[in-house]
Amino acid sequence: MKRIYTSVDIGSDTVKVVVCELYKNKINLLAKTTVSNSGLKKGLITDVESVKKSVKMAISQVEEMLGITIDKVLTDIPSYFSEFKMVNSSVEVNNSDYIIGSKEVNEVIEEALKGYNDYSREMIALMPIDFKANDETVKDPKGIKSKYLSMRGVIATTPKKNLYSVVGLLESLNLEVTDISLGAIGDYAALKDKEVDKQAGFVVNIGGEITNISLFNKGIMINNSIIQRGGQNIDSDIAYIYKLDLEEAKKIKEKYALAHRNYANDSETISVINRLGEKIEISERELSDIVYSRLEEMLNLIKKEINGLANREIDYIIVTGGTTNIPYFDKIIEPLLGKNARVGEMKIVGIRNNKYSSSLGTIISFIQKLRLKGKDFTMIDSEDANILSSPKKSNVNETNILKALIGFFDE
């Protein structure tokens, strides 16, 4: 059976959709797309119809690429006012041989959820820290012989409106929401490695209008903060200085700007017509100066926020989001954030752009949940699975079927 998963990430300036296949414990990227979006302000939906239009277009694009119908999705929601609470639970192993299986894992997780009773908020994720069975502390207790199983975990919650605005919008498009997560949890899942999973540090996502700063300890998200800065601030600076429309300023940034003037060339210039009808020349060095000034301000704010959130020495700062794709962004990270800071790097060929880290990671995180609970699940029916297995019957463009394999679970 083909195990196919689709993730929708509704961002401030774009909607991203990613479709992946799990095959022999490896992730294959099947399709991805990005559609412009103008219906969010500061990470929250303000124009439902505009966002619906963008989501519908993005879903249609990947359906056309793959020749299948998508009616089930994973999604992430903003981390605004998210809270994190430690929980503990324990259950008795009732089977005759006392061997822990997926049934017992699900029971101990359900027992932990029973202890949460704040009806003013919505639970988004339960992140198991570890399990204890037969006096052994492990990440996955299945197969251990023990009369009792206990678990420590962290529950992430959010205001109900953060959840229902996104879920309601997707369901109005006849998209069943299979699972929900926080975008930062997806970022971490997409960018982590074996060493990071043992350490404490931050994942920073510089989005369109906001920057999300999340503290993780051994793979568990324990705190979060948001600053009101993002890539659109750079666009606004360029638009103001050169008297350009915002969309034109964004295109110029993405096509010509560098993150640091030291790597720019004075002799490289572009000609544009501004809003006043004037023809102006913009040098690469001058443009990169504007970009660096704003990035310097943003990274200094990020550093200040990190210092306020961390009450211990941290091991890493991983920075992601579309803004990190500006050439030479990696050259300014260490001087401004410190020697343990780096730009995130996804390992799948065909999805290197960091704007997809949340949507790809949401799929990876969901697969990890299924594996822990011993569940088998796919988000397409058998007819569409046959279409994907039979290229002659489908509209699949083979350039979109990237057999970019990465053994996430072999690490």
Side-chain angles (χ1 to χ4, degrees):
M1 178 178 70
K2 280 188 172 290
R3 296 164 181 83
I4 308 297
Y5 309 98
T6 300
S7 174
V8 177
D9 176 23
I10 303 174
S12 294
D13 57 355
T14 58
V15 170
K16 280 82 67 178
V17 174
V18 171
V19 183
C20 290
E21 174 191 21
L22 177 67
Y23 181 67
K24 293 184 177 179
N25 276 344
K26 299 181 188 294
I27 297 286
N28 302 344
L29 172 66
L30 298 184
K32 70 182 192 304
T33 194
T34 301
V35 172
S36 295
N37 180 38
S38 59
L40 269 74
K41 292 296 180 187
K42 307 302 181 185
L44 299 175
I45 296 172
T46 56
D47 185 340
V48 173
E49 292 306 314
S50 177
V51 178
K52 283 173 64 173
K53 183 179 178 181
S54 297
V55 173
K56 187 175 182 179
M57 183 181 298
I59 292 291
S60 295
Q61 287 179 2
V62 294
E63 286 179 332
E64 185 177 350
M65 292 176 194
L66 299 175
I68 65 174
T69 298
I70 291 171
D71 55 16
K72 296 182 180 66
V73 298
L74 310 170
T75 192
D76 56 79
I77 65 169
S79 297
Y80 275 106
F81 308 113
S82 55
E83 295 179 358
F84 305 88
K85 179 184 177 182
M86 186 87 167
V87 292
N88 295 274
S89 61
S90 182
V91 297
E92 188 173 353
V93 180
N94 289 319
N95 62 60
S96 58
D97 55 8
Y98 299 116
I99 299 297
I100 295 169
S102 56
K103 176 178 176 289
E104 288 71 31
V105 171
N106 282 287
E107 285 176 353
V108 80
I109 289 173
E110 289 297 323
E111 190 66 26
L113 296 178
K114 289 179 184 177
Y116 179 75
N117 56 9
D118 185 350
Y119 300 108
S120 67
R121 301 176 63 81
E122 198 69 43
M123 194 202 70
I124 297 302
L126 189 151
M127 298 168 279
I129 297 172
D130 53 39
F131 297 85
K132 190 172 183 179
N134 197 26
D135 294 325
E136 183 180 359
T137 300
V138 295
K139 288 291 187 181
D140 188 342
K142 294 195 296 293
I144 296 175
K145 185 173 183 177
S146 177
K147 192 169 182 179
Y148 297 95
L149 173 65
S150 59
M151 184 197 74
R152 295 188 306 154
V154 172
I155 287 179
T157 67
T158 187
K160 289 179 180 292
K161 67 176 183 180
N162 290 12
L163 171 67
Y164 295 141
S165 61
V166 174
V167 172
L169 184 147
L170 293 171
E171 289 182 344
S172 71
L173 294 170
N174 297 317
L175 295 170
E176 178 186 332
V177 180
T178 301
D179 195 45
I180 305 155
S181 184
L182 296 176
I185 294 176
D187 289 329
Y188 181 86
L191 301 170
K192 69 168 185 160
D193 56 35
K194 287 188 292 186
E195 287 305 308
V196 163
D197 251 348
K198 303 172 186 175
Q199 300 172 335
F202 286 88
V203 175
V204 177
N205 189 312
I206 304 176
E209 289 187 311
I210 62 173
T211 293
N212 194 75
I213 303 166
S214 303
L215 175 60
F216 287 82
N217 185 21
K218 296 181 180 179
I220 306 299
M221 185 175 174
I222 58 174
N223 210 340
N224 179 260
S225 181
I226 289 173
I227 61 174
Q228 303 297 327
R229 295 288 192 282
Q232 291 181 15
N233 291 96
I234 301 172
D235 304 341
S236 297
D237 292 343
I238 296 170
Y240 176 78
I241 290 170
Y242 296 117
K243 298 180 175 61
L244 300 170
D245 293 329
L246 274 173
E247 193 58 37
E248 181 67 18
K250 182 181 179 180
K251 289 177 182 177
I252 289 172
K253 177 194 72 176
E254 293 177 348
K255 191 169 183 179
Y256 299 105
L258 306 180
H260 201 303
R261 73 190 307 270
N262 289 354
Y263 300 93
N265 191 334
D266 263 331
S267 63
E268 292 288 334
T269 63
I270 57 169
S271 298
V272 296
I273 306 296
N274 65 17
R275 291 195 309 269
L276 304 179
E278 302 167 335
K279 183 178 181 180
I280 58 174
E281 296 288 326
I282 302 176
S283 77
E284 185 181 77
R285 186 179 292 271
E286 184 181 67
L287 179 63
S288 301
D289 236 350
I290 296 167
V291 172
Y292 176 78
S293 294
R294 179 60 77 172
L295 287 175
E296 182 182 34
E297 181 227 14
M298 290 165 60
L299 291 172
N300 283 331
L301 285 173
I302 291 167
K303 186 175 183 178
K304 182 179 178 181
E305 202 69 23
I306 285 174
N307 291 337
L309 288 173
N311 56 7
R312 54 165 287 178
E313 185 175 348
I314 60 170
D315 301 298
Y316 63 86
I317 301 171
I318 301 174
V319 187
T320 187
T323 299
T324 64
N325 296 309
I326 298 175
Y328 299 103
F329 187 93
D330 58 316
K331 303 298 184 184
I332 67 173
I333 287 290
E334 185 175 324
L336 294 173
L337 291 185
K339 63 181 181 180
N340 60 355
R342 67 182 187 272
V343 177
E345 183 179 351
M346 293 188 290
K347 304 178 183 72
I348 296 184
V349 176
I351 194 167
R352 301 293 193 185
N353 192 316
N354 277 346
K355 68 182 178 182
Y356 290 107
S357 61
S358 294
S359 43
L360 173 63
T362 295
I363 293 174
I364 297 169
S365 179
F366 180 67
I367 292 170
Q368 290 170 340
K369 289 181 192 177
L370 292 176
R371 189 183 188 197
L372 178 63
K373 294 181 177 182
K375 293 185 177 180
D376 194 13
F377 182 78
T378 184
M379 298 173 73
I380 64 171
D381 59 27
S382 57
E383 183 178 343
D384 281 339
N386 289 334
I387 289 173
L388 286 176
S389 300
S390 308
K392 290 181 181 179
K393 298 179 183 178
S394 73
N395 297 320
V396 177
N397 181 341
E398 290 190 6
T399 62
N400 292 311
I401 308 300
L402 304 173
K403 296 300 181 182
L405 306 181
I406 177 70
F408 281 103
F409 308 120
D410 295 333
E411 293 181 357

